[in-house]
Structures are given as C-alpha cells and as structure tokens.
Amino acid sequence: MVNFSELEEKIGYSFLQKNLLRQALTHSSYANEKHMKRFSDNERLEFLGDAVLEVTSSEFLYLTYSKLTEGDLTKFRASIVCEPTLAICARELNLGNYLLLGKGEHQTGGRSRDSILSDAMEALIGAIYLDGGFEEAKKYISRFILTDVEHKKLFYDSKTSLQEIVQGQYRDSLQYVLLKEEGPDHNKTFQVEVRIGEHVLGIGSGHTKKAAEQEAAYQALLSLDRSKTGE
C-alpha cells in the first residue's frame, strides 16, 4: 500500500484533490494492468508539468543570471529540465517508492529508471498546478528542482566541459572505456571509465553507455576540481 500522505509531508504540500496526486504517480503500465479508464495514468499531467517547469525555470534563470545571453540561458535551462537531472531530483525525494507500476515494470527496475522518475516528477508538478495553482507549483519547483543548479549544469555539460579542459591542459586525448555491461536487454547497466592516456579520471554507471559516460565525466570534473583546490 502506497503511503501518499507521507509524500505530501515530504514535499510540504497537501492535496485538496487526492485523486490528482494518485494520478501523477500512476504509470501507464499500472493503468493498463488494472484496466483503468482512459487517461488515468500520469502522461497528460506530465505534459502540463513540463510546461510549468519550463516557465518557472526560465524566469528563475532570467532573474538570477542577468549577464547570460539567450543562447546560454537556453542551454542552462536544458540542464535543469533534462531527464537525468529530474531523475536525480526524484531520487532525493525517493519518489520511486510512491509510484504505481505494473508488475512487469516493477520487476525490471522501473522504480529507478530515469525516464519513469523524470516523467513522474513533471506529472507531480502538473498535479500541484491544477490543485493549488501556479504559485504552489512554483514553490515546489524552487524547493526541489531549482537547487544546486550550478552542479546540475556541470553534470549536463560534463562531457563537453571535460573535453575543453583536457584539450587546453593535456597532450593526451580523452578515452571512454566500457568496463562492464550487466543485466537483461530491457534493463542493462553499463560501467564506463574515462582516461587521459593510462590515467583514470573517473568512473560512471548508467542504463545507457551515454549516461555512464556522462557520469564518468562528471566524476572526473569533481576529481580535477578537488586536485586543484588541494582537497
């Protein structure tokens, strides 16, 4: 039995329309398995939440970073609203524990899958918007998404940022090396390390090679930063 009131307490918002909260956390696999009526899952709420998130994050960046160009603001916003970043935010709330998933999706690791978590995060924004209005949705976004945005930007741009650093400071080129690949085809996990020559800078894992490379690059950037500051 999912404890929705526990989640309400975590996010600091109590729904007047409890059905909206339930819908926001209902994956299509659950709705199909239970033969629920059409539009009972969270896909339409996700569409709405995505729009609210884009407006809110755009306003935040516009007001906070007055010297950034339109192009830089667009890239920064993309780093905040992208799937991996939203999944990170969802994990901080343990949102996966509250999802209603079909048996198959649950058994194949759906509660930790980036795509499902990020969709649920956006659906929850949409549900709060419908239940309490724009200001309540904005409060939620500010508290749980628009935090530590510099690190989120770093994660999003990590491969590009690392490439620029290496090109400017090292003779050897970057290499991403696949260490291992585990799990069934529908739920694989990849582990990748990034090297300069023979020196390992960082190791990352993810459900795709690209995600694992991004994580490895992010860890490399953190390691280089620690070396620079002498930590």
Side-chain angles (χ1 to χ4, degrees):
M1 190 73 177
V2 178
N3 189 347
F4 292 123
S5 59
E6 182 181 87
L7 178 59
E8 287 179 303
E9 194 173 327
K10 270 188 184 182
I11 66 175
Y13 180 78
S14 182
F15 278 80
L16 296 172
Q17 303 171 75
K18 303 296 184 185
N19 61 308
L20 279 173
L21 174 58
R22 185 181 180 85
Q23 184 181 352
L25 300 169
T26 300
H27 189 256
S28 57
S29 61
Y30 183 89
N32 292 334
E33 191 176 281
K34 299 295 183 182
H35 306 291
M36 296 168 71
K37 64 181 181 180
R38 196 180 180 201
F39 301 139
S40 295
D41 61 36
N42 65 5
E43 290 177 359
R44 282 168 54 83
L45 283 174
E46 176 205 336
F47 164 79
L48 181 60
D50 175 67
V52 176
L53 175 59
E54 184 157 323
V55 170
T56 303
S57 57
S58 297
E59 180 193 48
F60 169 79
L61 294 174
Y62 181 85
L63 295 175
T64 308
Y65 298 91
S66 58
K67 294 183 180 178
L68 289 185
T69 65
E70 181 268 343
D72 288 337
L73 286 170
T74 299
K75 287 179 187 175
F76 205 156
R77 183 180 64 201
S79 72
I80 294 170
V81 303
C82 70
E83 183 180 289
T85 301
L86 292 179
I88 288 169
C89 297
R91 288 190 184 97
E92 288 172 354
L93 283 169
N94 292 319
L95 197 59
N97 293 344
Y98 305 98
L99 295 176
L100 297 173
L101 298 178
K103 286 182 182 176
E105 200 64 64
H106 168 70
Q107 289 169 355
T108 56
R111 292 188 191 281
S112 61
R113 192 165 296 130
D114 280 8
S115 57
I116 291 177
L117 289 173
S118 63
D119 289 351
M121 200 71 177
E122 289 181 331
L124 191 51
I125 293 167
I128 294 171
Y129 172 78
L130 288 179
D131 190 70
F134 182 70
E135 285 306 312
E136 289 295 338
K138 191 173 172 181
K139 279 183 200 172
Y140 172 81
I141 292 167
S142 297
R143 185 177 173 191
F144 297 107
I145 298 175
L146 298 179
T147 54
D148 204 15
V149 293
E150 292 291 344
H151 269 88
K152 286 169 183 170
K153 180 175 182 287
L154 177 64
F155 178 80
Y156 179 76
D157 289 335
S158 56
K159 285 185 74 174
T160 304
S161 299
L162 184 61
Q163 184 68 39
E164 288 171 355
I165 290 170
V166 169
Q167 284 177 342
Q169 299 179 18
Y170 297 88
R171 289 183 180 179
D172 292 325
S173 59
L174 274 179
Q175 282 184 301
Y176 290 90
V177 179
L178 179 64
L179 297 178
K180 62 182 177 180
E181 181 179 323
E182 296 177 319
D185 287 342
H186 58 267
N187 191 33
K188 279 192 179 298
T189 298
F190 298 87
Q191 189 175 65
V192 169
E193 68 179 18
V194 59
R195 302 175 183 168
I196 299 176
E198 295 301 313
H199 180 58
V200 176
L201 288 178
I203 296 175
S205 60
H207 287 297
T208 65
K209 286 181 187 175
K210 185 178 178 182
E213 288 174 359
Q214 193 83 331
E215 173 66 24
Y218 179 64
Q219 293 303 327
L221 287 169
L222 294 179
S223 176
L224 289 172
D225 188 55
R226 283 194 295 270
S227 299
K228 194 191 305 180
T229 56
E231 289 181 10

